[in-house]
């Protein structure tokens, strides 16, 4: 190990603690000197415009932060990070993947839209290049060998909230379920019903589906909201993200002031900033909160705030973890890693010391992890997703 990298490693060890980080670093006897390791290409796929652009930005920021903290290297290899625009459908997503594969990437990461993830499945599997997805994770993505995810499976957010609301909602309560018509909504609803009780009269109403656009107008949801509220529910359960989340809550709050529950994407990142007081009191379930009190999160969150001047989101965290698992898998793959060697190594890395807490890949190549309940509260002059308690371990 060169003197510069040794000094950098010692600095990070002091910040992170030896537990967890050391497992990813290896020893001088295990690793070839970093200066002798050849450069590698990693392909990052995110939406670069449209309603999901802010999520794509967070994913890019999270991955780049990990590289910043590791001298722009993964397992000692200098990283050339190649980016591609996933667009908003399977066709544009496939074009992005094809472009990156032609450039000889060792691995792929990113992907925000569930429809894109499903659409690129066969391309990735046939190319035999690992994809460490850091957001999109539909439950329909089954029997994959080269696709891993550091985020979640969408039905888990529904399950976590279903279990919680089954006990919290009074016997005479009623929930209105409002969802965008897209690939992820069916997962969320199924998970919610599974834990709440599919025959429970409190969720007896059919789901109200709205336009699935990621760029809604100022009245896109109004008529559907009126329809869902016609039976005077005591709570609303919904599922939106990005620009759609902002518009949905704004339109909902014009006619409804009661409790709102959702997967955490509803109030993540720029959404929370845009909602201001309209977000107050909303409770969400997510696999991450920026105020989690563990060593890895203190380092990650403080470094993220310092670099980007904003609070990190679950999207940024999952992308940071994607870089972390790649770092460890590439290290296990030897001096000249191939995509196939890296893919096999991903199954050997064990527990990940993450800002979200300790997690590990399960058999379907998704995280086994904790889910947390959060509530939007005022923190000084800003709104914050304040951690309330742990809901469940799922995955």
């Amino acid at each position: 190990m060169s003197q510069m990298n040794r000094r950098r490693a010692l600095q990070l060890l002091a910040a992170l603690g030896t537990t967890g980080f050391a497992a990813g670093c290896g020893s001088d006897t295990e690793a070839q000197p970093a200066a002798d390791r050849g450069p590698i290409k990693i392909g990052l796929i995110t939406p670069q415009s449209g309603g999901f652009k802010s999520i794509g930005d967070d994913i890019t920021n999270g991955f780049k932060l990990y590289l910043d903290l590791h001298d722009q290297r993964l397992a000692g290899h200098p990283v050339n990070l190649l980016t591609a625009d996933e667009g908003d459908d399977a066709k544009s997503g496939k074009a992005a993947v094809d472009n990156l594969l032609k450039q000889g990437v060792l691995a792929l990461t990113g992907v925000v839209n569930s429809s894109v993830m499903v659409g690129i499945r066969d391309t990735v599997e046939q190319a035999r290049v690992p994809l460490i997805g850091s957001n999109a994770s539909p439950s329909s993505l089954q029997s994959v060998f080269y696709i891993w995810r550091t985020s979640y499976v969408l039905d888990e957010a529904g399950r976590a909230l279903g279990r919680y609301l089954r006990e919290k909602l009074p016997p005479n309560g009623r929930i209105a379920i409002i969802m965008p018509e897209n690939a992820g909504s069916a997962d969320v609803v199924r998970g919610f019903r599974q834990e709440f009780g599919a025959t429970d009269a409190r969720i007896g109403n059919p789901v109200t589906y709205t336009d699935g656009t990621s760029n809604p107008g100022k009245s896109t949801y109004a008529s559907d909201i009126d329809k869902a509220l016609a039976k005077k529910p005591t709570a609303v359960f919904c599922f939106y993200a990005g620009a759609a989340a902002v518009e949905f809550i704004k339109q909902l709050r014009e006619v409804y002031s009661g409790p709102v529950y959702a997967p955490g994407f509803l109030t993540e990142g720029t959404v929370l900033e845009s909602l201001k007081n309209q977000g107050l009191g909303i409770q969400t379930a997510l696999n991450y909160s920026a105020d989690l009190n563990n060593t890895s999160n203190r380092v990650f969150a403080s470094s993220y705030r310092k670099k980007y001047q904003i609070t990190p989101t679950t999207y940024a965290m999952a992308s940071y973890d994607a870089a972390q698992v790649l770092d460890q898998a590439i290290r296990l793959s030897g001096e000249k890693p191939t995509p196939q060697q890296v893919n096999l190594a991903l199954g050997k890395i064990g527990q990940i010391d993450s800002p979200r807490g300790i997690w590990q890949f399960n058999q379907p190549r998704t995280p086994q992890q904790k889910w947390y309940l959060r509530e939007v509260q005022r923190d000084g002059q800003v709104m914050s997703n304040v951690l309330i308690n742990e809901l469940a371990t799922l995955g």
Side-chain angles (χ1 to χ4, degrees), residues 13-327:
L13 283 169
L16 290 168
T18 56
T19 302
F21 184 81
C25 289
S27 67
D28 285 349
T29 58
E30 293 173 337
Q32 184 184 12
D36 296 335
R37 294 202 161 202
I40 56 174
K41 296 177 181 178
I42 303 295
L44 178 64
I45 307 163
T46 60
Q48 297 176 6
S49 61
F52 291 148
K53 180 182 182 299
S54 63
I55 299 175
D57 291 343
D58 286 353
I59 287 173
T60 300
N61 290 347
F63 200 94
K64 286 184 173 180
L65 179 64
Y66 188 89
L67 293 179
D68 286 349
L69 295 177
H70 293 80
D71 294 329
Q72 305 302 316
R73 295 170 183 267
L74 293 177
H77 295 270
V79 173
N80 182 7
L81 188 62
L82 307 176
T83 61
D85 185 359
E86 73 177 65
D88 56 9
D89 57 29
K91 182 178 180 180
S92 57
K94 185 178 184 304
V97 171
D98 287 340
N99 178 46
L100 291 170
L101 291 174
K102 288 178 183 178
Q103 297 182 67
V105 294
L106 180 66
L108 299 162
T109 189
V111 187
V112 169
N113 193 317
S114 290
S115 297
V116 171
M117 180 64 86
V118 172
I120 65 177
R121 176 193 186 278
D122 291 345
T123 300
V124 172
E125 292 288 303
Q126 291 167 12
R128 301 175 66 212
V129 172
L131 164 61
I132 299 83
S134 50
N135 187 62
S137 187
S139 61
S140 59
L141 197 67
Q142 299 288 332
S143 302
V144 290
F145 188 69
Y146 281 89
I147 300 178
W148 306 72
R149 285 148 284 172
T150 59
S151 51
Y152 45 75
V153 180
L154 276 175
D155 68 327
E156 294 170 357
R159 288 171 59 195
L161 278 171
R163 185 177 302 182
Y164 171 69
L165 289 176
R166 182 183 62 205
E167 305 301 327
K168 181 178 177 62
L169 201 69
N172 61 346
R174 184 175 294 274
I175 298 176
I177 303 177
I178 310 176
M179 299 276 157
E181 194 166 10
N182 62 30
S185 291
D187 286 344
V188 174
V189 172
R190 185 181 64 255
F192 184 81
R193 289 185 180 277
Q194 177 183 336
E195 294 292 338
F196 193 95
T199 61
D200 194 310
R202 294 176 294 176
I203 54 171
N205 292 335
V207 177
T208 300
Y209 285 103
T210 69
D211 192 317
T213 179
S214 61
N215 279 301
K218 296 187 181 302
S219 61
T220 298
Y221 305 121
S223 61
D224 290 317
I225 288 172
D226 288 342
K227 177 182 176 182
L229 298 180
K231 293 190 177 181
K232 309 297 182 183
T234 53
V236 166
F237 176 57
C238 58
F239 168 61
Y240 294 87
V246 176
E247 278 304 324
F248 175 79
I249 291 299
K250 286 183 176 180
Q251 293 171 40
L252 178 67
R253 285 308 193 201
E254 289 180 1
V255 292
Y256 172 81
S257 59
V260 176
Y261 302 93
F265 327 116
L266 186 74
T267 59
E268 275 293 274
T270 57
V271 173
L272 192 58
E273 299 168 13
S274 300
L275 287 176
K276 299 185 178 4
N277 288 340
Q278 291 172 311
L280 281 172
I282 293 176
Q283 291 193 341
T284 62
L286 203 59
N287 60 346
Y288 176 68
S289 172
D291 58 359
L292 280 169
N293 187 21
N294 63 64
T295 301
S296 293
N297 190 50
R298 287 194 295 270
V299 172
F300 167 69
S302 63
S303 299
Y304 195 92
R305 290 186 179 104
K306 181 177 180 181
K307 181 175 175 64
Y308 300 112
Q309 304 302 308
I310 52 176
T311 297
T313 62
T314 189
Y315 315 119
M317 177 277 297
S319 190
Y320 180 90
D321 274 3
Q324 182 176 188
V325 299
L326 272 175
D327 193 357

